[in-house]
Amino acid sequence: LEKFSTGLSRIETYREMLITQTEVLTLEPLVDIRKQLDEMKELSESVSKGDELVHMETERYCGVKPIAQDEQHKVITYPKSCIDTLRLREEHSLNKLDYVSKLRHSTRQHQLKYVQKMLEQMLAQFSYANFAYVVMSEMEPYLS
């Protein structure tokens, strides 16, 4: 009876270790992922605001008439606001490109972390089951 109780306490101790390891393997990475998702949400909001700003500037740009037109050289001169609109569009395009690249990198990173943690969890569960089997096998002669 003493061997049986010792074996069960060893299995229970190992089970508690498995539970602790499960918390470490699953909860901590999820908190990290949540932080990254919050950062991506902020970037998404800034890109959306930039979309609206570029749209308004483009509408304003479409209503601007040329200042001067040189008939001889076929040169049209536009006000400075038109150039500012083009620069704004360029900056916005670069911001969108940065957002998309960060989003793709983050997605790949999350997928890799998730698969890695799931494999570690499966290994921990297998080790627990194997340990319990070995302990119970050691106690088999005493059970009959």
Side-chain angles (χ1 to χ4, degrees):
L1 192 58
E2 185 180 324
K3 288 236 183 224
F4 187 71
S5 66
T6 303
L8 286 179
S9 68
R10 287 173 53 199
I11 290 173
E12 180 62 21
T13 303
Y14 202 90
R15 187 183 72 80
E16 289 173 2
M17 288 172 36
L18 174 67
I19 291 171
T20 304
Q21 186 175 6
T22 300
E23 290 175 0
V24 169
L25 290 177
T26 55
L27 294 181
E28 290 177 4
L30 288 177
V31 169
D32 292 340
I33 289 172
R34 177 66 185 181
K35 287 178 185 175
Q36 288 179 352
L37 289 177
D38 288 342
E39 291 173 8
M40 295 309 295
K41 185 177 179 181
E42 290 174 8
L43 278 174
S44 173
E45 290 172 357
S46 71
V47 167
S48 295
K49 288 178 184 175
D51 282 340
E52 293 172 11
L53 183 63
V54 166
H55 181 70
M56 289 187 315
E57 282 293 318
T58 303
E59 282 182 358
R60 198 175 93 204
Y61 169 75
C62 290
V64 173
K65 298 199 183 318
I67 292 176
Q69 187 171 2
D70 185 1
E71 294 293 329
Q72 185 178 13
H73 299 296
K74 304 282 186 193
V75 176
I76 299 174
T77 306
Y78 285 96
K80 183 181 178 303
S81 65
C82 295
I83 295 170
D84 292 342
T85 301
L86 292 175
R87 286 192 181 126
L88 179 68
R89 289 181 71 166
E90 180 184 13
E91 287 175 17
H92 180 64
S93 295
L94 291 174
N95 287 342
K96 270 188 166 179
L97 180 64
D98 184 46
Y99 168 70
V100 170
S101 66
K102 285 181 180 179
L103 185 63
R104 291 179 80 193
H105 176 73
S106 177
T107 302
R108 277 193 221 120
Q109 192 177 25
H110 292 162
Q111 289 172 348
L112 182 62
K113 274 185 181 179
Y114 183 74
V115 169
Q116 180 183 6
K117 296 304 178 185
M118 290 307 295
L119 289 174
E120 289 174 359
Q121 180 62 26
M122 290 171 60
L123 178 63
Q125 289 177 349
F126 173 75
S127 297
Y128 169 71
N130 189 38
F131 178 77
Y133 173 76
V134 168
V135 169
M136 293 304 283
S137 295
E138 290 173 358
M139 291 188 294
E140 190 175 0
Y142 303 106
L143 294 176
S144 41

